[in-house]
Amino acid sequence: MTTRKFNRRDFIGGLSQSVLSLLVLSRASQQLVAAASQPTSVLVLGAGLSGLYTALLLEAKGLSVTVLEARDRIGGRVHTLNDIPGKPEAGGQSLSEKYQRLLALAERLQVPVESSIGLDKEMLLSVRGQTVLPKDWASASANHLTVNERNLLPPLLLTNYLRKNNPLQDATAWTKSQYADLDIPLDKYLRSQGASTEALRLIDCSPVSLVNNLATTSALWALRNDQRGKIPSKQPLHIQDGNSRLPEKMAAALKSPVQLNKVVEAIRSFDNGVEVHCADGSSFRANYVVVTLPFSVLRDVEITPRLPALQSEAVKRLNYTAVTQVRFTVRDRFWEKDGYPPMMWTDTALESIFPVRDRQYNVQSFVCWVSGDSAKKLDAMSSTGLEQFVRSQLQQIRPGIEDNMSIVKVVSWGRDPFARGAYAHFAPGQIRRFQKIMAQPWQRIHFAGEHTAISSPGMESALESAERVAQEILSRK
């Protein structure tokens, strides 16, 4: 069977074909026309970006698609907090001109995209109990870095040590066998590049690292992320009125509504179809199933027949980064009184504190963005204990703020039963073992999701995986 790849120009311009006509497969299209009276049926598990996009692509080619979602809302890990001033994003923070699939999709569905403010340019450092402005960092007594590192601000240490000798030249190089020797612990690699013990401590405090801790992260994965950042985005963007508006519009464009509150417990593949069983007693049958659930969730789903040994191990062992956001408002503009920037980078368990601004640049709220082991520490606390802990930490970082703030929401992706982490990352050795087999179809079961993408960052990776899996399904016809 011959196929050809997606044509996004046709996608943008071809309203007459369907809501989304991005996928062009000549022989598959002919077969689908012939079988129009009995269209192939597909179950898609998960109504995040990858699941919804997969469903749209398959519906556009005449397949009958049913999307099952465990949550009571659309979007998965794209989640706009509509009830908080400024409508901040709990997941799927931002996009840019690099997100070509997503931008084409937004245009096609008439979802407005606009520039976003991005992060503040100024910050206050809080290290070893001392507050330091960046201009004073090199000579600060709290700076215990080596002579060669003292001029580097803590948030820039990781990039400094990854960027200078990063051998990856393009977005797919990390999957090539010639770089397998870099699939080692990240802390070990950073030491080989000259990072001091203090530098490693500060890097482990930074949410920019996007991992649980350095020792349990593959250096090759970190170098992959650095390669993607070599060419900075021209302008941060977001969906007008919140990024959740895009998946909501995607769901509305489907022929069949997404079925919510469907927690999948078992997937069974037979010679002539698949069957999915849910916790509420319902079951669904189809010709094929596309699983977009994070492996952190899929590992608790019974799959029959069992996945091949190595693929099963990948499902059980792939790492997911814990991220917890403590969002709060303040009564008084404390930064105007003490003269320091409202954004803070710290070596405490609260890690970084960001202001959320409106389009007039007014501060609407704040978020303590905590990842990895620090997030797990917060997740283990009761709501009362967490509030007391956050206030005590803020008192050390910025005295006076603790009596000025009110926590309005705590978002924990680590404790979310339908995510169990904000995003996947590879442990040392896992790229060599798992990367090539993670997304391989098994029987009538196919896999998509950001963890299976190769070349795209962020939300774009979910769409990349959807294009691949849709092509897999159509190629089987």
Side-chain angles (χ1 to χ4, degrees):
M1 178 178 296
T2 60
T3 64
R4 60 189 180 94
K5 296 183 179 180
F6 302 99
N7 185 325
R8 294 191 184 89
R9 184 172 300 173
D10 291 344
F11 163 67
I12 295 171
L15 175 61
S16 63
Q17 293 184 32
S18 65
V19 156
L20 289 169
S21 56
L22 182 58
L23 194 65
V24 181
L25 297 167
S26 58
R27 182 175 173 184
S29 296
Q30 294 169 6
Q31 291 175 330
L32 287 170
V33 170
S37 60
Q38 293 182 328
T40 299
S41 57
V42 180
L43 291 171
V44 175
L45 309 186
L49 289 178
S50 58
L52 293 170
Y53 193 39
T54 299
L56 287 168
L57 292 170
L58 294 177
E59 278 195 350
K61 303 309 297 182
L63 280 68
S64 173
V65 183
T66 300
V67 180
L68 307 180
E69 169 56 48
R71 294 182 174 87
D72 59 1
R73 63 171 179 83
I74 300 295
R77 282 171 286 175
V78 176
H79 185 27
T80 303
L81 302 176
N82 299 312
D83 56 342
I84 295 180
K87 292 187 177 181
E89 305 294 342
Q93 294 296 304
S94 63
L95 51 139
S96 72
E97 75 284 351
K98 298 179 182 180
Y99 287 51
Q100 290 299 302
R101 294 178 183 86
L102 193 148
L103 293 174
L105 181 60
E107 181 180 354
R108 190 71 189 82
L109 294 176
Q110 298 182 342
V111 179
V113 175
E114 61 186 10
S115 62
S116 60
I117 295 172
L119 297 178
D120 287 14
K121 293 185 175 11
E122 297 180 337
M123 73 174 75
L124 179 67
L125 303 174
S126 177
V127 179
R128 296 185 177 276
Q130 299 181 39
T131 54
V132 184
L133 289 170
K135 66 181 181 63
D136 301 321
W137 171 246
S139 59
S141 60
N143 187 340
H144 289 194
L145 294 169
T146 63
V147 173
N148 294 332
E149 299 169 330
R150 288 187 67 86
N151 289 320
L152 294 171
L153 294 177
L156 302 180
L157 285 165
L158 180 62
T159 298
N160 173 74
Y161 282 114
L162 292 175
R163 184 69 49 87
K164 63 182 181 180
N165 291 314
N166 191 337
L168 306 182
Q169 297 301 310
D170 57 58
T172 64
W174 68 284
T175 65
K176 297 176 180 177
S177 59
Q178 68 194 84
Y179 299 113
D181 60 342
L182 294 171
D183 195 12
I184 61 175
L186 180 53
D187 59 347
K188 180 179 179 180
Y189 174 82
L190 295 174
R191 283 192 184 279
S192 74
Q193 299 299 304
S196 67
T197 299
E198 176 67 357
L200 295 178
R201 185 187 78 84
L202 293 173
I203 290 171
D204 243 347
C205 295
S206 174
V208 176
S209 61
L210 306 181
V211 299
N212 290 322
N213 61 69
L214 301 182
T216 60
T217 301
S218 168
L220 182 55
W221 187 86
L223 289 164
R224 181 207 74 161
N225 290 341
D226 177 71
Q227 190 280 329
R228 293 176 176 178
K230 284 183 178 179
I231 302 175
S233 301
K234 296 177 182 177
Q235 173 64 53
L237 305 169
H238 70 262
I239 303 298
Q240 190 179 95
D241 202 36
N243 290 338
S244 286
R245 306 296 82 83
L246 177 60
E248 290 168 359
K249 195 69 176 286
M250 293 168 71
L254 291 171
K255 295 176 183 177
S256 299
V258 174
Q259 299 206 31
L260 301 175
N261 301 303
K262 295 296 181 182
V263 180
V264 173
E265 290 189 329
I267 304 168
R268 297 190 173 96
S269 179
F270 306 98
D271 290 340
N272 61 348
V274 293
E275 192 170 84
V276 169
H277 296 269
C278 299
D280 63 1
S282 60
S283 61
F284 301 83
R285 292 187 66 88
N287 298 112
Y288 304 102
V289 62
V290 174
V291 180
T292 72
L293 310 181
F295 280 3
S296 51
V297 176
L298 184 62
R299 60 189 56 150
D300 290 334
V301 176
E302 178 187 350
I303 298 177
T304 308
R306 292 182 179 179
L307 295 173
L310 194 56
Q311 193 172 21
S312 178
E313 184 183 349
V315 170
K316 292 177 181 177
R317 309 235 178 255
L318 188 67
N319 283 340
Y320 279 76
T321 303
V323 171
T324 300
Q325 304 163 17
V326 181
R327 297 190 174 270
F328 62 92
T329 56
V330 296
R331 292 183 298 276
D332 299 319
R333 301 167 70 86
F334 59 86
W335 59 96
E336 294 182 351
K337 294 181 179 179
D338 63 23
Y340 290 133
M343 187 168 79
M344 294 164 267
W345 186 98
T346 84
D347 65 351
T348 71
L350 298 189
E351 295 189 347
S352 293
I353 303 167
F354 303 103
V356 177
R357 297 181 181 272
D358 61 20
R359 297 197 66 78
Q360 288 72 47
Y361 211 64
N362 298 311
V363 175
Q364 300 274 283
S365 60
F366 285 83
V367 57
C368 300
W369 191 285
V370 186
S371 62
D373 291 343
S374 293
K376 293 178 182 180
K377 180 178 179 179
L378 295 183
D379 290 348
M381 298 178 183
S382 66
S383 56
T384 300
L386 183 143
E387 180 171 356
Q388 292 174 345
F389 179 78
V390 170
R391 289 185 183 276
S392 69
Q393 292 287 292
L394 288 174
Q395 185 178 26
Q396 297 176 38
I397 299 167
R398 201 89 172 240
I401 188 176
E402 75 280 0
D403 296 324
N404 184 30
M405 54 85 75
S406 298
I407 295 177
V408 294
K409 187 180 284 288
V410 176
V411 177
S412 170
W413 289 110
R415 290 201 303 188
D416 184 327
F418 308 123
R420 296 181 184 167
Y423 26 72
H425 72 270
F426 290 92
Q430 287 188 343
I431 295 177
R432 283 177 288 182
R433 285 179 59 76
F434 300 155
Q435 188 275 318
K436 293 186 185 304
I437 56 87
M438 283 171 47
Q440 287 184 0
W442 172 240
Q443 307 271 332
R444 290 174 174 266
I445 304 170
H446 293 254
F447 300 92
E450 55 90 14
H451 52 288
T452 69
I454 300 297
S455 61
S456 304
M459 291 182 280
E460 186 81 351
S461 65
L463 304 185
E464 175 194 316
S465 75
E467 290 185 352
R468 172 190 49 76
V469 81
Q471 187 163 341
E472 288 175 1
I473 296 285
L474 289 175
S475 296
R476 296 186 70 155
K477 287 299 295 172

